[in-house]
């Protein structure tokens, strides 16, 4: 039984209970409360409110949607500021910086698509395309994180065996390979989901059902697990393994073949990446607890954390000493030029 604040009934006789979309005949309204005829958690077809990355509301669902859209808008602005800062501050344009930009770009596009699918006029084929693209970009975020984790571990591993001396061309080749992996693997998964969704005779339990009930994203819980949850969790676990292996190298102080400055840079990149992993991990943890406990406050917290991930990235990676130092130097140079021009005496 659910109270009045725990569910919403739509005009098409569907009911939304937390993150489960229930079909007519599976629930009953009695004295202002909703009674389920079947356990909604076992219902295969529902609207997943979140991909544990960006919240995905039905455009008919208004509870919490406004604050989530505001949070997503803030994240879009923050991510855009990071990309702009990356272009303006030369010290950010290093190899890890390019990997982070790839992640930010995918997350920015994912947030943008989230806002687009909230528009009531977004229906039909365009709605399905937006849902498919959002799945693709959200998967890309996790693959980009996997690339960053691998690169951090690889840097430490190389430091234990040989000098870290990479030419510009070699770094560029590495980035191309990383990009093919981080953007290509999600493409394969997404294309596979679309093919299955449009294949006659494919088992209904695995069909994503993009666009059903005017919900642009996947509306089949099993398909969400197959095409999103399993890849994302697998990548997160792999990232944790890379983090532990990197931490093991740091703890044993086996980086003997690099300078102190290179060690400091590698350790700083490791710390920043651990923060990013923790941010994503906390999101999954809150989402798991919310699914188990069905507490409304947990969903509110999850909404806020998910919608503000772009802001967190901006605060962690953009608001750094090197950026502030660069801005300070630019301001001091302009001030000195201005004072010099003021001291010119015209005859």
């Amino acid at each position: 039984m659910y109270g009045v604040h725990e569910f919403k009934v739509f005009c098409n006789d569907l009911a939304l209970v937390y993150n489960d979309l229930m079909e007519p005949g599976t629930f009953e309204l009695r004295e202002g409360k909703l009674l389920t005829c079947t356990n909604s958690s076992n219902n295969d077809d529902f609207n997943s409110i979140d991909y544990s990355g960006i919240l995905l509301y039905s455009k008919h669902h208004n509870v919490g949607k406004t604050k989530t859209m505001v949070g997503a808008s803030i994240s879009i602005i923050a991510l855009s500021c990071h990309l702009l800062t990356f272009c303006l501050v030369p010290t950010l344009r290093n190899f890890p910086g390019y990997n982070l930009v790839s992640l930010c770009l995918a997350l920015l596009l994912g947030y943008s698509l989230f806002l687009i699918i909230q528009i009531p006029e977004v229906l039909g084929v365009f709605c399905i395309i937006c849902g498919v693209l959002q799945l693709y970009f959200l998967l890309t975020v996790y693959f980009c994180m996997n690339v960053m984790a691998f690169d951090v571990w690889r840097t430490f591993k190389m430091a234990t065996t040989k000098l870290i001396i990479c030419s510009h061309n070699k770094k560029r080749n590495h980035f191309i390979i990383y990009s093919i992996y981080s953007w290509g693997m999600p493409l394969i998964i997404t294309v596979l989901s679309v093919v299955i969704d449009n294949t006659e005779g494919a088992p209904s339990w695995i069909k994503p059902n993009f666009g059903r009930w005017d919900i642009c994203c996947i509306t089949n819980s099993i398909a969400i697990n197959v095409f999103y949850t399993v890849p994302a969790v697998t990548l997160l676990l792999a990232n944790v393994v890379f983090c532990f292996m990197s931490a093991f190298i740091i703890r044993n102080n086996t980086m003997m073949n690099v300078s102190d400055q290179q060690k400091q840079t590698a350790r700083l990149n490791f710390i920043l990446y651990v923060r990013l992993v923790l941010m994503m991990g906390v999101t999954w943890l809150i989402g798991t607890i919310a699914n188990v406990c069905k507490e409304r406050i947990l969903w509110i917290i999850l909404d806020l954390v998910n919608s503000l991930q772009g802001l967190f990235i901006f605060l962690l990676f953009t608001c750094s000493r090197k950026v502030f130092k660069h801005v300070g130097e630019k301001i001091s140079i302009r001030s000195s030029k201005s004072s010099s021009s003021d001291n010119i005496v015209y005859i």
Side-chain angles (χ1 to χ4, degrees):
M1 181 180 295
Y2 298 93
V4 65
H5 298 296
E6 297 177 296
F7 69 91
K8 181 178 179 64
V9 178
F10 303 136
C11 58
N12 54 2
D13 294 330
L14 296 173
L16 186 66
V17 182
Y18 290 101
N19 70 327
D20 291 356
L21 192 61
M22 306 182 65
E23 295 181 335
T26 62
F27 65 91
E28 178 183 347
L29 294 176
R30 185 180 301 173
E31 297 179 355
K33 296 184 179 181
L34 184 142
L35 287 77
T36 58
C37 303
T38 59
N39 188 350
S40 63
S41 63
N42 294 328
N43 188 6
D44 286 340
D45 296 323
F46 68 93
N47 173 31
S48 176
I49 294 303
D50 82 286
Y51 274 162
S52 292
I54 297 177
L55 299 191
L56 303 174
Y57 284 99
S58 161
K59 54 176 63 69
H60 303 295
H61 179 46
N62 294 318
V63 180
K65 186 175 75 171
T66 301
K67 69 175 181 297
T68 307
M69 292 178 67
V70 171
S73 301
I74 293 174
S75 288
I76 289 174
I77 295 173
L79 291 169
S80 300
C81 289
H82 176 79
L83 295 177
L84 179 62
T85 305
F86 176 82
C87 296
L88 297 177
V89 181
T91 54
L92 293 180
R93 295 197 291 271
N94 50 29
F95 192 61
Y98 278 100
N99 290 330
L100 180 61
V101 161
S102 185
L103 183 150
C104 290
L105 182 59
L107 193 57
L108 174 63
L109 293 172
Y111 276 121
S112 300
L113 286 166
F114 162 71
L115 294 180
I116 291 174
I117 64 178
Q118 305 308 314
I119 302 173
E121 290 76 17
V122 176
L123 301 169
V125 176
F126 184 62
C127 175
I128 294 174
I129 292 174
C130 289
V132 171
L133 288 176
Q134 189 179 30
L135 172 64
Y136 170 66
F137 289 124
L138 292 180
L139 285 172
T140 303
V141 170
Y142 286 96
F143 277 94
C144 287
M145 285 186 60
N146 186 237
V147 162
M148 294 175 66
F150 172 78
D151 186 66
V152 169
W153 169 78
R154 175 179 167 274
T155 300
F156 284 117
K157 186 64 177 177
M158 288 178 62
T160 64
T161 57
K162 58 183 178 180
L163 290 174
I164 306 179
I165 302 176
C166 293
S167 64
H168 176 73
N169 290 335
K170 195 169 184 179
K171 289 182 178 179
R172 183 181 61 185
N173 292 337
H174 283 157
F175 180 70
I176 292 174
I177 294 173
Y178 286 167
S179 297
I180 292 174
Y181 167 76
S182 58
W183 291 83
M185 290 300 295
L187 181 62
I188 294 174
I189 297 173
T190 305
V191 169
L192 182 62
S193 70
V194 173
V195 170
I196 292 177
D197 200 28
N198 292 276
T199 299
E200 293 291 339
S204 59
W205 59 268
I206 199 174
K207 281 197 170 188
N209 294 322
F210 289 104
R212 185 169 55 170
W213 304 315
D214 291 335
I215 299 170
C216 301
C217 56
I218 298 177
T219 57
N220 184 329
S221 60
I222 296 179
I224 288 177
N225 292 330
V226 171
F227 297 112
Y228 179 80
T229 305
V230 171
V233 171
T234 302
L235 291 170
L236 284 175
L237 292 176
N239 295 346
V240 171
V241 172
F242 283 128
C243 283
F244 274 111
M245 291 193 298
S246 300
F248 180 78
I249 295 175
I250 295 175
R251 181 178 180 275
N252 291 330
N253 196 24
T254 55
M255 296 183 293
M256 302 300 181
N257 298 320
V258 295
S259 64
D260 292 338
Q261 183 178 359
Q262 288 175 319
K263 289 181 182 180
Q264 184 66 22
T265 301
R267 286 171 177 166
L268 179 60
N269 290 334
F270 172 73
I271 293 173
L272 291 176
Y273 178 74
V274 168
R275 292 177 182 176
L276 185 61
V277 170
L278 289 176
M279 181 187 73
M280 302 296 286
V282 166
T283 300
W284 278 94
L285 179 61
I286 297 175
T288 302
I289 297 175
N291 271 307
V292 173
C293 299
K294 301 294 184 182
E295 290 291 337
R296 183 175 179 81
I297 184 63
L298 292 176
W299 289 111
I300 294 175
I301 296 173
L302 182 63
D303 291 354
L304 293 175
V305 173
N306 281 338
S307 62
L308 293 174
Q309 284 186 7
L311 177 62
F312 297 150
I313 290 177
F314 175 79
L315 295 175
L316 287 176
F317 294 94
T318 312
C319 299
S320 61
R321 290 182 180 179
K322 62 172 66 175
V323 174
F324 292 144
K325 182 180 179 181
H326 178 81
V327 173
E329 290 175 351
K330 288 292 184 181
I331 293 175
S332 61
I333 291 174
R334 288 189 177 184
S335 299
S336 61
K337 287 183 178 180
S338 177
S339 60
S340 299
S341 61
D342 291 340
N343 292 331
I344 295 177
V345 178
Y346 294 94
I347 301 176

